[in-house]
Amino acid sequence: QLVYPYDFRLTEKEKTSICYLSFPDSYSGGLGDTQFSFRLRQSGGQRTTHYEDDGEYNREAPLTLQRESAHYFGYVYFRQVKDSSMKRGYFQKSLVLVSRLPYVNLFQSLLQLIAPEYFDKLEPCLEAACNEIDQWPPPVPGQTLNLPVMGVVIQVRIPSRVDKPGSSPVKQFNQENLLPAPLVLPSIHELDLFRCFQPVLIHIQMLWELMLLGEPIVVMAPSPTVSSEMVLALTSCLAPLRYCCDYRPYFTIHDSEFKEYTTRTQAPPNIVVGVTNPFFIKTLQHWPHILRVGELRMSGDLPKQVKVKKLAKLKTLDTKPGIYTSYKTFLHKDKTLIKRLLKGIQRKRPSEVQSALLRRHLLELTQSFIIPLEHYIASLMPLQRAITPWKNPPQIRPFRQEDFMKTLEHAGPQLTCVLKGDWLGLYRRFFKSPNFDGWYRQRHKEMTQKLEALHLEAICEANIVAWMKDKSEVEIVDLVLKLREKLVRARCQHLPVKEETLQRVGLYIETIIGSLPEDLQTVLHHH
């Protein structure tokens, strides 16, 4: 019915997809308000965003919170109430916030404030809210923001890449006597993991492995809320490692990728997809891992834990909750985690404390797995003394899987993790996954930039006049052009170099040009 701000351009395909994704696609007798999220592939080429400083935000934000370039997130507030004046006898409407940022808590909290007002007062209310949101500062990683909207101030901290993983968000905010007292969000994006994973707590190990390996998973849930929370919980359980595969927190049969995902002529893609329509039980039967969950109810005791079942059992529409897979885990189960969570339930520990336990466990597991890889890749960096000013910097040595495997005997995950099992087998499978590819590329890029930076510093330390003594004009001009190119690259790629280093290289270039004959000077200054 309405897009606000009006100048926001969506293609027809995107509009249609957003419409289908904004409503529950299976019958839900539930009345009232529900909230859920989806993720949508952008169609129709790159569009310029309002944010030219994307690069800066993405460099400072954690990898898991970067602004997406090819997808939108949709955050939905859906209302369904009886209304005899409507043709169907119901009022059904959704307000959707579309963003490239995965700030699920912030945007869902925002919708809780705006949507009920909007359903009452319609467009003027949106206009007022958007005018306020327009005044918000851009998200700067590491900063705590106060965001006024509809008479409330939402206070939230934007996480930064330099935060220590697993450290809890800073509790005491600078209140500055804000009146009214702000609505403080403890996290901009973290879900209540304990609540999301309730029915599968005893299988958390298996789910972590499936996510690590980028396996295709279907989450079948009774509602878009459960489906989107479960998918987002799964994709978050590898932090600080980035989950590099595709994921759809909520997916309907009207989706433009429906054919691509349900075809049997090729293997299912590396993706986690959340669905609610029972029709998918038939069309996605050939997927290797299917997690079927019921409604999430918070109760005083451990909810019924789903069982792992054979895929062949997934036939009927009234399929019981369970993990339908033939996957055998590489690592043994961690009984201590379950015991601690059970103890928490008996002691009526608050859900956020249980979630923190769970998150800490997953973080330690991921770190135990990743630290040996980090150690090995760091050893591939050339020695600092091999970096000399007048030669191109040496190459980073290639990543050899077998060499890495040899390091595990004395420096493997067993140093930091009590879990026994086939760690080697897990690494071998991981090497084939998009998550390894994404991790390796990111690291390789960072190391290449570090090399460039070290090379610039070496040039700075060098005695340029001594070097020029016995060089021909051609060699000197060549050096000028190379240094210039390096300088431009350092600025464009924001290499980790001190500003004074860059300025000194700039001065060097001027000095060298100044020593050349005048005709060459003119050419180089114009060049």
Side-chain angles (χ1 to χ4, degrees):
Q1 280 184 341
L2 161 83
V3 176
Y4 211 96
Y6 301 119
D7 59 356
F8 185 66
R9 292 273 165 265
L10 288 165
T11 63
E12 285 311 306
K13 190 173 169 186
E14 287 165 344
K15 277 186 194 163
T16 311
S17 295
I18 288 172
C19 289
Y20 279 124
L21 287 165
S22 302
F23 290 96
D25 79 336
S26 54
Y27 170 74
S28 62
L31 294 178
D33 296 357
T34 49
Q35 289 180 265
F36 56 92
S37 347
F38 60 79
R39 185 166 169 270
L40 169 77
R41 193 185 288 175
Q42 182 181 301
S43 69
Q46 282 296 331
R47 259 151 294 177
T48 51
T49 54
H50 291 299
Y51 303 99
E52 295 309 318
D53 62 342
D54 242 17
E56 193 176 341
Y57 170 80
N58 277 354
R59 273 194 308 282
E60 293 173 11
L63 294 174
T64 48
L65 288 181
Q66 290 188 334
R67 202 179 259 121
E68 292 257 1
S69 56
H71 290 85
Y72 290 120
F73 292 97
Y75 303 95
V76 183
Y77 191 105
F78 168 67
R79 173 169 286 182
Q80 171 165 298
V81 285
K82 281 204 161 108
D83 182 344
S84 51
S85 70
M86 295 286 189
K87 204 161 85 184
R88 292 179 159 187
Y90 285 104
F91 167 91
Q92 289 175 311
K93 205 170 217 178
S94 282
L95 183 64
V96 186
L97 189 153
V98 175
S99 169
R100 295 182 182 279
L101 290 164
Y103 295 169
V104 59
N105 291 350
L106 173 62
F107 292 141
Q108 290 293 12
S109 306
L110 186 58
L111 283 173
Q112 281 167 19
L113 297 170
I114 300 176
E117 287 286 306
Y118 166 69
F119 293 136
D120 279 354
K121 308 195 174 109
L122 301 176
E123 207 175 329
C125 145
L126 274 193
E127 189 167 356
C130 286
N131 284 338
E132 290 188 282
I133 293 170
D134 268 346
Q135 306 303 309
W136 288 5
V140 176
Q143 284 191 4
T144 295
L145 304 181
N146 292 313
L147 309 172
V149 66
M150 324 246 349
V152 177
V153 174
I154 302 177
Q155 190 173 74
V156 71
R157 181 180 179 276
I158 310 290
S160 151
R161 199 174 290 192
V162 295
D163 296 346
K164 202 168 133 304
S167 59
S168 57
V170 195
K171 282 283 183 285
Q172 65 336 316
F173 282 130
N174 182 358
Q175 297 287 343
E176 299 163 28
N177 304 330
L178 287 169
L179 285 174
L183 165 66
V184 178
L185 301 183
S187 160
I188 204 162
H189 67 292
E190 286 181 347
L191 299 167
D192 182 342
L193 272 197
F194 179 65
R195 198 178 59 91
C196 297
F197 284 147
Q198 276 224 31
V200 293
L201 288 171
I202 59 173
H203 305 297
I204 214 78
Q205 192 74 40
M206 174 190 269
L207 293 170
W208 175 83
E209 285 188 23
L210 292 174
M211 294 305 292
L212 181 73
L213 301 173
E215 286 286 311
I217 303 176
V218 185
V219 173
M220 290 186 176
S223 69
T225 308
V226 176
S227 126
S228 58
E229 287 198 338
M230 183 61 94
V231 171
L232 291 176
L234 285 168
T235 55
S236 76
C237 72
L238 295 181
L241 185 66
R242 184 186 187 165
Y243 176 71
C244 296
C245 309
D246 200 356
Y247 61 99
R248 295 300 152 92
Y250 172 52
F251 186 76
T252 74
I253 54 179
H254 306 287
D255 207 286
S256 50
E257 277 102 68
F258 179 72
K259 282 206 176 55
E260 189 182 318
Y261 294 166
T262 50
T263 170
R264 303 199 169 211
T265 52
Q266 59 212 57
N270 299 85
I271 170 175
V272 179
V273 53
V275 300
T276 60
N277 193 322
F279 179 68
F280 279 110
I281 292 181
K282 275 227 280 292
T283 52
L284 296 177
Q285 258 174 356
H286 60 297
W287 279 46
H289 320 286
I290 295 176
L291 168 57
R292 172 102 166 132
V293 285
E295 277 300 344
L296 294 179
R297 289 189 189 82
M298 280 303 266
S299 58
D301 34 64
L302 185 68
K304 201 167 165 220
Q305 296 292 294
V306 306
K307 295 191 166 59
V308 175
K309 306 178 178 184
K310 299 243 182 329
L311 276 160
K313 294 237 162 79
L314 190 80
K315 285 279 185 282
T316 51
L317 290 183
D318 60 341
T319 302
K320 298 214 169 11
I323 301 180
Y324 293 82
T325 179
S326 56
Y327 180 80
K328 297 275 175 283
T329 56
F330 286 92
L331 306 179
H332 306 319
K333 258 191 197 139
D334 185 355
K335 303 245 168 56
T336 49
L337 172 74
I338 303 300
K339 282 182 188 145
R340 288 170 72 184
L341 291 171
L342 273 171
K343 195 175 276 176
I345 292 173
Q346 285 152 5
R347 296 191 177 160
K348 305 212 176 338
R349 244 187 240 143
S351 189
E352 55 269 24
V353 179
Q354 296 277 69
S355 281
L357 263 178
L358 199 49
R359 191 167 273 116
R360 171 122 232 121
H361 168 78
L362 289 164
L363 172 72
E364 285 169 0
L365 193 52
T366 302
Q367 284 180 323
S368 295
F369 183 81
I370 282 296
I371 286 169
L373 284 161
E374 298 283 5
H375 278 319
Y376 173 70
I377 203 167
S379 74
L380 303 177
M381 189 80 168
L383 294 174
Q384 199 139 356
R385 61 168 183 269
I387 300 168
T388 56
W390 317 120
K391 280 203 193 76
N392 278 333
Q395 297 284 308
I396 298 164
R397 289 193 295 284
F399 189 107
R400 295 209 165 85
Q401 294 178 10
E402 287 315 308
D403 290 355
F404 165 71
M405 294 304 225
K406 285 183 196 128
T407 67
L408 293 175
E409 269 169 62
H410 47 268
Q414 70 281 1
L415 296 183
T416 49
C417 187
V418 292
L419 284 189
K420 300 276 180 278
D422 179 10
W423 286 95
L424 295 179
L426 188 59
Y427 281 115
R428 280 202 162 76
R429 263 298 267 282
F430 177 67
F431 289 141
K432 299 190 178 86
S433 85
N435 291 328
F436 169 69
D437 191 52
W439 170 82
Y440 175 73
R441 279 177 201 223
Q442 174 69 27
R443 283 291 174 269
H444 198 273
K445 182 175 140 193
E446 286 164 6
M447 286 161 71
T448 309
Q449 293 185 341
K450 179 87 180 111
L451 265 181
E452 277 277 309
L454 288 170
H455 194 214
L456 276 168
E457 310 216 321
I459 290 168
C460 252
E461 303 299 308
N463 182 341
I464 211 137
V465 181
W467 178 83
M468 282 165 53
K469 273 207 180 87
D470 54 350
K471 298 292 181 286
S472 67
E473 268 174 19
V474 176
E475 287 173 289
I476 292 175
V477 170
D478 188 49
L479 176 71
V480 168
L481 298 179
K482 274 197 179 127
L483 286 180
R484 263 195 191 158
E485 191 191 337
K486 271 189 168 313
L487 213 49
V488 169
R489 208 165 44 225
R491 293 227 188 271
C492 290
Q493 296 180 359
H494 300 270
L495 293 184
V497 191
K498 294 193 215 54
E499 182 54 38
E500 58 191 301
T501 304
L502 296 180
Q503 284 172 353
R504 277 178 70 184
V505 174
L507 276 173
Y508 270 10
I509 294 174
E510 291 309 310
T511 313
I512 302 171
I513 292 178
S515 72
L516 292 165
E518 267 181 23
D519 53 340
L520 270 180
Q521 285 191 34
T522 322
V523 172
L524 284 171
H525 278 304
H526 284 306
H527 189 73

